[in-house]
Amino acid sequence: MKNVIKNPRNGCSLHGALMTALAIRGVTPIVHSNSGCAVQNYLAENFAARLGRFEVPGSSVLEKQVIFGGGSRLREQIKNTVKVLDGSLYIVLNGCESAMVGDDVPGMAKEAAERKEPVICARFAGFHGSAHHGYSRAMWDLIDGAASLGIARGEESGRCGRLVSVFGIAPGLNAHFRGDLLELRRMFRRLDAEANIFFGPGGADELANAPSAALNVSFSKWGGFVCGRMEEKYGTPKLEFDFVPVGFEAVREMVLAIAERISPDDGAVDDFLREERVRFEYFMELTDEYRAAVIGARAALVGTESVVTGVGKFLNEQLAATVTASVITDSPASGGSNADNPRRSDDSEEIEDILRRSGADIILGSPMEAPIARELNVPLLEISPPAGPKLILGKSYLGITGAVNLTEDYISALTAHKAGRELEIALEIRRMSQKY
Amino acid sequence: MGEKIGKHIAIYGKGGIGKSTTTSNISAALAEAGYKVVQIGCDPKSDSTNTLRGNRYLPTVLDSMRDGNAVKLDDISVTGFGGVLCIESGGPVPGVGCAGRGINAAVTLLQELKLFEEFRPDFVLYDVLGDVVCGGFAVPIRDGITDRAYVVTSSDFMAIYAANNLFKAINKYAPTGGARLGGIIANGLSAGYSKSIIDDFAAKTGTRTAACIPRSLVISQSELYGKTVIEANPNTEHARIYRELAKYVAENENLVIPNPIGPNDLRAWARDWGDRIYNLETGVVTAREAI
């Protein structure tokens, strides 16, 4: 195993939980740790942190709280936070010290709950795993915590037959999570179902609805964890996909599997799939000539397993790309061989080596691949977190909408890059001719 | 830390085994012999130096730190029997916070307050709580704070188990400048075979028994008077034993890195002693019996 890991892209569980909580409207996180933990999150998220909000109340513990316990500092922080920051649900997120010292965080949250303040706590700390782990545990704690406070809805009326919750697409997991989730919501509505997407306009209300959903759908193993817990405790059936669906075939596979579980009205599935097929084929036909120009382009992918799988399949089947390297970053395992495809790594140096050997004409990855793309003089298409300086609001790389966007961006990246190189050559020729 | 002033000695052992009693009597005996001594209780209970200061009130280092005021040496120390400077690190209330980190912070503060430069002791004794359960409790034997440690144990298995754990910690830290072991102080011995058990444990771990202190009413009585044996009963056999131990601690330079016994071997060793004690009680005699 290597001794040095260069620029790992996965933060800790606290980081993942904080991104999750901040992205749910109405949820206010309270970080119980030293102040650096929250600041680190702000820095790691770069510009993306300024998208939305970044007021993070925190106990900012010092050595005093480590020695004597930080319980009373947290109590004070909870009381003041509830007074000055709005929230329909507050969640205490733990740093490492409080867990090591054994602060009674659940006790402090319970005290607040007894005062009728909607405060819960996460049942994990920063050191429990990666940011992805943090997302999955935070989602579960938020839903289960909201239920424990009695603010869950729909219990009297039983299971809501047309409500579906979506897991496994989240900030930090997916670069286009907002757009992807809104696209899913649009699709579910066509199947007569309403979707809890959590990271959208609905926010915390959807956490309260979640235990009564008829079905939980996951698009990554991280979402799978939440679905597993929901099934155990609330008996909610689950449906797990290990890919993000891009393009008509993937959408069809997803829609048929979901329809089998939620039984939409007669004809809804056929109507919807027919429309989606027509829309998809329309755009594909429009781009015939463009697609022909990029046939056989060699693509290298870097990102989470479900995105790399979904996007890779679409590139291969619809855009006739050859995926020469896939690097999965959300569950790195050490000791992979160079021949493995996909490879698993969180180490930027190793990832750059893989990309260097891939012979790729285009890299689909995160802004962290910008230096190697520049070095190899190939275009970079951003499909993965962490977020960079580029503003991503409602754009989606999921479904038919996502397939159209991806086709547009993929082909544009290749053709613009080619045009740029041709322009450079033309300018060089002009410079040389002027010289003589 | 710069120049080391005085010999810094850590005393460890299982909770309730008599560390504070032993440490205070060593301090008292050293003071009686004319040395300048500091005793630092590294225990949230903050009762290490009770018998040296006649139960006089002493604010702990961490209590003073918690109040947030600038701490002065005078606020957190009191002169006890024979001029021994008594200090208690203190710590969090039971069940809260991190006592290990507390010890670390208290010792660091004492260094910052230039305790040793001001007082210029010949000996500094650190009476460290309980077992070495995590890194925090090993602080006094790391980082060059002390250069020698003694362990107090009875012949009970759990006390020996705790001693063996300390040996593991010493074994780990000594190669990088941590403290070495001065010896084992056998305390509260009553049965005839107790000394043999401890001597055998010392032999197995490559260490030595520094002293054997039999169980005695004199110790209990002195404690009830709020005094050390040296002060309350200076002419007794126990006072003599403590003086001898203090002399040993003062002069001993034979410091070793112990070889702790592995968990299974330790259990096998204990079982073997169990059999031997049973045979003794039931009258079985074997050749070369050590007891």
Side-chain angles (χ1 to χ4, degrees), chain A residues 287-298 319-320 361 410-412 414-416 418:
Chain A
T287 54
D288 263 355
E289 207 169 312
Y290 273 90
R291 283 189 296 132
V294 298
I295 279 180
R298 288 160 300 180
L319 300 177
D361 301 311
Y410 172 80
I411 295 177
S412 300
L414 281 167
T415 52
K418 189 167 168 244

Side-chain angles (χ1 to χ4, degrees), chain A residues 63-71 100-103, chain B residues 62-63 65-66 91-92 96-99 101-102 105:
Chain A
E63 188 178 43
K64 185 176 168 180
Q65 281 82 34
V66 172
I67 296 171
F68 298 106
M100 288 169 73
V101 168
D103 283 346
Chain B
L62 289 176
D63 280 345
M65 261 173 93
R66 174 157 48 185
V96 177
C98 180
R101 181 63 221 168

Side-chain angles (χ1 to χ4, degrees), chain A residues 82-96:
Chain A
V82 171
K83 275 184 210 155
V84 300
L85 280 179
D86 289 337
S88 54
L89 185 63
Y90 299 81
I91 182 166
V92 180
L93 304 175
N94 299 310
C96 301

